[in-house]
Amino acid sequence: MPYYHDEVDAVLRALADPTRRAVVERLAKSPAVVSELAAPFSMTLPSLMQHLRVLENAGLVTSQKHGRVRTVSLRPGALDVLHLWLGEQRTPAEHQADRLGIHLTRTTSKET
């Protein structure tokens, strides 16, 4: 397994939750303050902060505090490790699909 498997695991765990996926989708547009991120959800700010902590620990977001306002941003390149891993998985699957297509074409040609 590649050396970055711990990073992939952390990202997949973080994105397994629909609230955290929604936060990442929102942050892909632009940085936001915590209260703005919390608005669409029916949860307390401490609960949302726990979700943000998971995203931050997975390396997906960063946050900065200015006075009493915490601004959260999607970390540039945060999803690259997942994109790389998915690309590596796609190649073997595509080869298998190609082999299946060839087999089906040969089998169908012999039957006619």
Side-chain angles (χ1 to χ4, degrees):
M1 180 154 293
Y3 67 94
Y4 55 85
H5 69 279
D6 290 339
E7 292 176 61
V8 172
D9 290 348
V11 170
L12 289 175
R13 269 192 302 275
L15 295 176
D17 183 87
T19 300
R20 292 192 288 266
R21 284 194 307 272
V23 168
V24 169
E25 289 172 11
R26 167 56 190 84
L27 292 174
K29 297 173 187 168
S30 66
V33 296
V34 172
S35 58
E36 184 182 333
L37 291 172
F41 306 107
S42 58
M43 67 176 62
T44 63
L45 280 177
S47 295
L48 181 69
M49 291 301 294
Q50 286 180 338
H51 285 291
L52 293 175
R53 210 168 300 117
V54 170
L55 292 170
E56 198 161 6
N57 290 342
L60 294 172
V61 301
T62 59
S63 66
Q64 295 180 345
K65 190 170 184 179
H66 295 24
R68 299 180 81 189
V69 178
R70 180 171 295 281
T71 303
V72 183
S73 304
L74 188 62
R75 191 176 61 75
L79 298 173
D80 289 352
V81 68
L82 188 57
H83 179 73
L84 177 63
W85 181 81
L86 287 171
E88 290 174 355
Q89 304 318 304
R90 184 177 298 125
T91 302
E94 287 172 349
H95 289 306
Q96 288 177 345
D98 290 344
R99 286 194 306 267
L100 176 61
I102 291 168
H103 173 73
L104 292 175
T105 301
R106 288 179 182 163
T107 305
T108 306
S109 298
K110 290 178 183 177
E111 291 177 2
T112 56

